[in-house]
């Protein structure tokens, strides 16, 4: 196998890493060992924000639309949480008296309104759509890149 022969700097070559934005790889690795565009796009959309995978894959308009839509949905959810927080604060007696725990717990209970539930489900479905869409875009790019290497025309 490969030993730990020092490189020009005197450090063992095996320990010489090159960082890329998405993967860590050692110098000299083959192209087949890097992360595919499909996985990269799906991970960015899943772990960072909906639309991030599309932006990483250079589909800027689609990614921007997904980011803006997700931000709008999250803004509505934050506004609803703020409204609920104000409601909780209004239940506390203004004179600084004792706080009834049961009253506070009832006021702080999650909202069961249909609109809140629908919005939460819509954001979750939208996030999943972003992941699947980024994976699909990345897969198309992977196939287009593999075509010339395999002798296919794209």
């Amino acid at each position: 196998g490969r030993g730990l022969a020092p490189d020009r700097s005197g450090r063992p070559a095996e320990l010489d890493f090159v960082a890329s934005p998405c993967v860590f790889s050692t110098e000299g690795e083959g192209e087949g060992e890097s992360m595919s565009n499909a996985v990269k796009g799906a991970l960015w959309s899943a772990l960072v924000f909906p639309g991030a995978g599309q932006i990483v894959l250079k589909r800027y308009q689609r990614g921007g639309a997904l980011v803006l839509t997700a931000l709008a949905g999250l803004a509505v959810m934050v506004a609803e949480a703020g409204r609920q927080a104000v409601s909780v604060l209004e239940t506390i007696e203004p004179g600084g008296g004792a706080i009834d725990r049961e009253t506070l717990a009832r006021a702080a209970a999650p909202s069961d309104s249909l609109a809140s539930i629908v919005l939460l489900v819509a954001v979750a479905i939208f996030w999943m759509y972003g992941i699947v869409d980024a994976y699909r875009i990345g897969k198309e790019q992977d196939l287009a890149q593999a075509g010339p290497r395999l002798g296919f025309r794209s």
Side-chain angles (χ1 to χ4, degrees):
R2 294 171 53 190
L4 294 178
D7 65 1
R8 291 181 200 159
S9 68
R11 293 177 300 181
E14 291 283 315
L15 303 177
D16 206 13
F17 290 96
V18 176
S20 74
C22 297
V23 296
F24 288 95
S25 61
T26 58
E27 289 183 17
E29 282 185 343
E31 289 181 36
E33 296 181 33
S34 65
M35 187 180 297
S36 70
N37 288 327
V39 172
K40 186 185 335 178
L43 285 175
W44 274 88
S45 281
L47 301 176
V48 177
F49 205 74
Q54 286 79 356
I55 292 171
V56 167
L57 297 173
K58 297 180 178 23
R59 297 287 177 93
Y60 302 114
Q61 287 182 336
R62 178 177 265 169
L66 288 169
V67 167
L68 290 176
T69 305
L71 283 174
L74 290 175
V76 170
M77 290 171 61
V78 168
E80 175 64 22
R83 187 196 60 73
Q84 189 173 2
V86 168
S87 171
V88 168
L89 291 174
E90 289 173 351
T91 63
I92 299 173
E93 292 182 343
I99 299 172
D100 179 13
R101 287 186 182 188
E102 290 179 25
T103 304
L104 188 58
R106 266 186 268 119
S111 174
D112 291 333
S113 73
L114 182 61
S116 297
I117 294 170
V118 168
L119 182 61
L120 183 62
V121 170
V123 167
I125 289 171
F126 184 75
W127 204 306
M128 293 301 298
Y129 168 78
I131 296 167
V132 171
D133 184 57
Y135 182 85
R136 184 190 58 76
I137 291 169
K139 196 66 168 173
E140 288 174 1
Q141 291 178 358
D142 289 339
L143 291 173
Q145 290 172 359
R149 286 189 299 223
L150 299 175
F152 299 117
R153 294 182 187 181
S154 48

